[in-house]
């Protein structure tokens, strides 16, 4: 079975500071990893994904994520946070042995303060 | 280009009633997936369809059913509604439903069961 953990319910960061939102996963096969962002009363917006290759993945709006196979992690990062980055962030995984089901973590609320 | 569209945006039903939610995928996408997002949680996979056939089913009771039409749009039906079915229902589309593909989400239908 595949699973995702986002250990922090909320992350607080000052505008201009770097941010990290943590994600760890568990799969039986090879993982396909995704990050999505959700603004209030909206659906999910795709940020980036890791399929294979370079462990550092760059995505939309200046976000990037680092795949670490030994630590089974896929943390989301941004060098300089903006107030407009405040939202709910979801990490998701698909196992190449487990069909097409996308499994999401519980979400992390990012609060960026001016 | 239009993204994934869903209708209605909001819906109020009473226990025991039945509901039908609709989804139109991004043009050119042939796979549609449905997710349930209960307040404060990450989305949970319900179904995936590709070329009108069910490709995957999550851990939901038989009260939940879906279908995909020749134009690749989809409907999710929920019978005998329970209070616990109150949630945001998200539809996502992808090109062919493959594991490494990105799923693009619609804005969701918010269902309230009284």
């Amino acid at each position: 079975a595949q699973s995702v953990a986002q250990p922090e319910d909320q992350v607080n960061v000052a505008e201009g500071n770097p941010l990290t939102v943590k994600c760890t996963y568990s799969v039986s096969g090879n993982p396909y990893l995704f990050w999505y962002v959700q603004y209030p009363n909206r659906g999910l917006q795709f940020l980036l994904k890791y399929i294979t290759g370079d462990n550092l993945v760059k995505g939309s709006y200046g976000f990037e994520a680092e795949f670490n196979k030994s630590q089974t992690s896929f943390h989301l990062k941004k060098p300089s946070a903006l107030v407009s980055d405040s939202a709910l962030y979801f990490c998701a995984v698909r196992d190449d042995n487990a069909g097409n089901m996308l499994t999401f973590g519980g979400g992390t609320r990012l609060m960026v303060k001016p | 280009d239009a993204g994934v569209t869903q209708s209605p945006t909001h819906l109020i039903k009473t226990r025991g009633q039945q509901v039908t939610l609709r989804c139109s995928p991004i043009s050119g996408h042939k796979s549609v997936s449905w997710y349930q997002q209960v307040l404060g949680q990450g989305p949970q996979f319900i179904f995936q369809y590709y070329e009108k056939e069910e490709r995957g089913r999550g851990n939901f009771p038989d009260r939940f059913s879906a279908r995909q039409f020749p134009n690749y749009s989809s409907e999710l039906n929920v019978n005998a509604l329970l209070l616990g079915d109150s949630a945001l229902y998200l539809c996502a589309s992808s090109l062919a439903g493959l594991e490494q593909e990105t799923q693009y989400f619609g804005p969701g239908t918010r269902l309230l069961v009284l």
Side-chain angles (χ1 to χ4, degrees):
Chain A
Q2 56 193 41
S3 66
V4 177
Q6 294 182 242
E8 303 153 317
D9 290 337
Q10 183 162 316
V11 169
N12 297 309
V13 64
E15 187 175 31
N17 282 1
L19 69 88
T20 299
V21 182
K22 295 179 180 177
C23 171
T24 58
Y25 66 90
S26 174
V27 296
S28 59
N30 293 313
Y32 299 124
L33 293 153
F34 303 80
W35 275 102
Y36 287 86
V37 60
Q38 187 174 36
Y39 294 97
N41 300 314
R42 301 273 291 274
L44 301 177
Q45 274 182 250
F46 169 71
L47 283 178
L48 51 80
K49 68 181 179 183
Y50 171 82
I51 302 301
T52 187
D54 194 349
N55 289 342
L56 184 63
V57 178
K58 293 190 182 297
S60 306
Y61 313 116
F63 284 94
E64 58 189 29
E66 187 166 10
F67 172 66
N68 188 316
K69 188 173 183 178
S70 62
Q71 296 185 6
T72 61
S73 66
F74 189 56
H75 300 331
L76 182 70
K77 300 182 180 185
K78 187 174 182 182
S80 179
L82 300 172
V83 172
S84 58
D85 292 330
S86 298
L88 193 53
Y89 289 80
F90 290 98
C91 180
V93 68
R94 263 211 198 101
D95 182 339
D96 68 354
N97 279 346
N100 298 313
M101 185 173 69
L102 192 59
T103 298
F104 284 84
T108 298
R109 185 165 300 282
L110 174 66
M111 299 290 290
V112 182
K113 297 182 179 178
Chain B
D1 283 344
V4 177
T5 59
Q6 293 185 242
S7 63
T9 54
H10 295 81
L11 207 48
I12 299 175
K13 293 285 188 178
T14 56
R15 280 178 297 174
Q17 284 189 313
Q18 174 263 342
V19 69
T20 298
L21 311 180
R22 295 176 176 84
C23 171
S24 292
I26 291 171
S27 177
H29 286 192
K30 298 183 178 181
S31 179
V32 168
S33 297
W34 287 94
Y35 293 82
Q36 181 196 64
Q37 185 179 17
V38 172
L39 194 62
Q41 297 181 17
Q44 281 198 292
F45 173 77
I46 309 175
F47 288 110
Q48 184 190 39
Y49 277 78
Y50 173 69
E51 292 279 13
K52 297 181 290 180
E53 292 199 1
E54 183 182 301
R55 280 281 187 88
R57 172 185 284 255
N59 188 23
F60 280 81
D62 291 343
R63 299 185 295 107
F64 288 77
S65 63
R67 55 180 175 167
Q68 187 177 33
F69 298 99
N71 67 354
Y72 306 111
S73 67
S74 177
E75 286 181 353
L76 175 70
N77 295 284
V78 186
N79 294 322
L81 284 167
L82 303 174
L83 296 180
D85 294 331
S86 296
L88 180 67
Y89 289 84
L90 295 164
C91 173
S93 76
S94 62
L95 281 169
L98 300 177
E99 289 92 341
Q100 65 268 38
E101 289 179 354
T102 299
Q103 291 189 352
Y104 295 92
F105 285 80
T109 293
R110 190 164 295 281
L111 172 65
L112 178 61
V113 182
L114 301 176

